[in-house]
Amino acid sequence: MYKKTGCLALFLVAGCLLLPPEGLAQVAVFGKSDKSGMGEWLSGVTLVGQIEGGIMANPARPDNGINFGNFLADHANQVQLNQLEFTLARAIDPSKNAYQIGFTLEGLYGSDARYYHLLGISDRAISDRYQLIPAQAHIDVHLPWLTSGGLDMQAGILQAPMGVETLDPTTRPFYTLAYTSEYSVPFQHVGAMFKWHVNTTVDVTFGVDTGNQTTFGNSDNNHEAAGYFGFNLNGLAGGKLNIIELSRVGPENAIAVLGARADSQMRYWNDINAAYQVNDKLSVTGEFNYLHDDGIRADTYSFVSFLSYKVTPSLTFNYRGEIYRDNTGQFVVSFLSNTAYMGAIAGATVPAEFAPPTTYGALSLGVTYKPDLGHGVRVFELRPEIRFDRSLNGTTPFNDGRNTGMFTFGMDGVLGF
């Protein structure tokens, strides 16, 4: 039997099969004969939309037109539509000690979709720069088990939980991403994630999935599942400090590349970050990441620091500094066609720009202008950014292999409704 299917099925149905009859009755609100209960559940359903676009200029004008080591703003000196997305959702409230069910459905169109596909679902639908993905499609369940905080489950198409920077531009301070966020954390999964609220301070996270951006059968790059485990420490230091540790283990390389041994060659991902709210205006975050891959005998390790200072209620200054080591030169890659990234996940030979083993330093400075416009506008942001990347060990990965450093500047805008 296909091992991933069996492993995932166990997690996906466990929450439902183990529910007592009264629990099933409470969870299946949509099946109640009480119309007021159905109406109450439906009243919690929301629909929001968001659009983001931007440009990252490069005065060096690389011959291949690519800002090396940059996914979301990879095309130098070109304005692009990054995201047009709509999200239909019914959120659950983990603070309520009761059975609850909700869902999230998010569709996304734009250039960012090139890097967030799932094999066999959306990766072959469009070959242009602007592509379409189901960014999220999952059932959310709260189970009042074990402790007063209970257990939360998400099952379906999930955005990977590891790391500080996410796909949603309103949750991160910059248009571009850190190397860590691009190369050393996964992006999308089909699987199930659980969070057990042990007490007000400690959460335990665990889950299983088919692999990073893979699904089942011929749409998988190997035959084994992968999974997460980790913890959150919430409200330390008088409520100012939160710590998140998450580890992941499983094979991620393609059989097309490594042969049958791809099923047994593990990749170990480890990420820990701490966010500290110094005062009402100043917050700092530090992230440490270490990745090891048995199959390709490669390691990456990095440290990223973030600082945000609220100058006024609508203007925030942002800083990000990173040191990132790609020990073999096999992780930091720029993909030179619109379908190359997902082709590489599948194990195909694709047009790409590599660099030798390099220690990267990157500094980004910017501001977020976020006025409250009202009139149905949920969010409006303008984010100018200046970024400098440099090889710290003398290699020349930037500007089509010409330079040890790369200077870029630009801006994106976000409008949510």
Side-chain angles (χ1 to χ4, degrees):
M1 182 178 180
Y2 190 58
K3 295 180 181 179
K4 283 188 180 178
T5 305
C7 188
L8 277 174
L10 176 64
F11 273 78
L12 292 176
V13 304
C16 294
L17 292 183
L18 295 178
L19 281 173
E22 64 273 17
L24 284 169
Q26 291 180 57
V27 169
V29 226
F30 46 83
K32 287 184 178 181
S33 59
D34 182 357
K35 293 184 179 179
S36 64
M38 176 66 169
E40 181 182 355
W41 189 85
L42 289 174
S43 69
V45 176
T46 60
L47 175 63
V48 297
Q50 189 167 281
I51 186 169
E52 180 207 14
I55 182 173
M56 212 63 186
N58 184 338
R61 297 183 178 275
D63 295 338
N64 60 11
I66 298 296
N67 292 325
F68 180 79
N70 194 322
F71 281 176
L72 305 188
D74 51 356
H75 286 265
N77 309 310
Q78 294 184 31
V79 176
Q80 61 186 16
L81 170 67
N82 290 88
Q83 299 183 17
L84 173 62
E85 66 88 21
F86 291 92
T87 303
L88 182 70
R90 208 289 182 183
I92 60 173
D93 184 354
S95 67
K96 292 183 178 178
N97 188 27
Y99 290 99
Q100 301 172 59
I101 187 167
F103 68 92
T104 302
L105 298 173
E106 179 185 359
L108 185 150
Y109 173 79
S111 59
D112 289 359
R114 295 169 297 161
Y115 297 100
Y116 286 84
H117 286 290
L118 290 163
L119 290 177
I121 292 181
S122 56
D123 59 305
R124 295 182 180 274
I126 303 174
S127 59
D128 298 330
R129 188 189 306 184
Y130 297 154
Q131 299 180 15
L132 182 66
I133 59 168
Q136 298 185 77
H138 50 82
I139 296 295
D140 307 331
V141 178
H142 179 72
L143 307 168
W145 294 352
L146 304 175
T147 60
S148 60
L151 183 70
D152 296 333
M153 179 186 78
Q154 295 182 326
I157 296 176
L158 310 170
Q159 292 182 2
M162 182 179 285
V164 172
E165 297 176 311
T166 73
L167 176 60
D168 182 352
T170 65
T171 65
R172 62 179 196 259
F174 292 98
Y175 178 32
T176 63
L177 297 175
Y179 291 93
T180 301
S181 304
E182 294 178 321
Y183 300 106
S184 293
V185 300
F187 284 174
Q188 293 280 97
H189 300 304
V190 172
M193 288 294 300
F194 296 82
K195 179 168 285 188
W196 176 31
H197 303 284
V198 179
N199 53 45
T200 55
T201 301
V202 180
D203 296 329
V204 174
T205 301
F206 55 97
V208 65
D209 57 72
T210 58
N212 180 39
Q213 298 181 259
T214 66
T215 54
F216 297 99
N218 293 330
S219 297
D220 184 20
N221 59 5
N222 59 61
H223 298 140
E224 299 293 335
Y228 285 96
F229 55 92
F231 62 85
N232 291 27
L233 299 177
N234 310 304
L236 304 178
K240 293 185 175 183
L241 175 64
N242 295 308
I243 298 173
I244 301 174
E245 191 283 330
L246 206 53
S247 295
R248 174 177 171 81
V249 61
E252 300 287 358
N253 294 299
I255 290 175
V257 176
L258 297 185
R261 72 185 184 94
D263 287 342
S264 61
Q265 301 297 296
M266 298 294 109
R267 180 175 296 179
Y268 303 92
W269 324 59
N270 303 278
D271 189 275
I272 185 168
N273 62 79
Y276 185 73
Q277 188 71 41
V278 179
N279 52 45
D280 291 342
K281 293 188 174 184
L282 178 64
S283 64
V284 293
T285 299
E287 178 182 17
F288 175 75
N289 185 288
Y290 172 69
L291 181 153
H292 171 76
D293 191 294
D294 288 336
I296 58 175
R297 299 180 181 179
D299 300 89
T300 71
Y301 42 92
S302 60
F303 177 74
V304 195
S305 57
F306 300 84
L307 180 149
S308 291
Y309 182 79
K310 187 172 289 188
V311 182
T312 71
S314 60
L315 187 67
T316 301
F317 168 79
N318 298 306
Y319 154 91
R320 180 181 63 204
E322 180 179 27
I323 295 177
Y324 183 95
R325 173 65 181 177
D326 180 359
N327 221 28
T328 61
Q330 297 180 79
F331 274 89
V332 179
V333 180
S334 279
F335 296 93
L336 303 180
S337 75
N338 295 322
T339 59
Y341 175 82
M342 290 307 299
I345 295 285
T349 300
V350 299
E353 182 181 18
F354 291 83
T358 298
T359 302
Y360 297 88
L363 173 66
S364 300
L365 301 174
V367 297
T368 299
Y369 176 59
K370 188 178 179 180
D372 183 2
L373 299 183
H375 304 290
V377 177
R378 180 175 54 85
V379 61
F380 174 75
E381 293 184 357
L382 293 175
R383 301 188 299 183
E385 172 184 346
I386 298 173
R387 174 167 174 160
F388 183 66
D389 297 73
R390 186 173 180 83
S391 164
L392 302 180
N393 64 323
T395 61
T396 58
F398 301 107
N399 300 323
D400 209 12
R402 299 197 313 259
N403 302 121
T404 58
M406 179 177 69
F407 172 72
T408 53
F409 63 94
M411 183 173 69
D412 73 330
V414 183
L415 176 65
F417 42 88

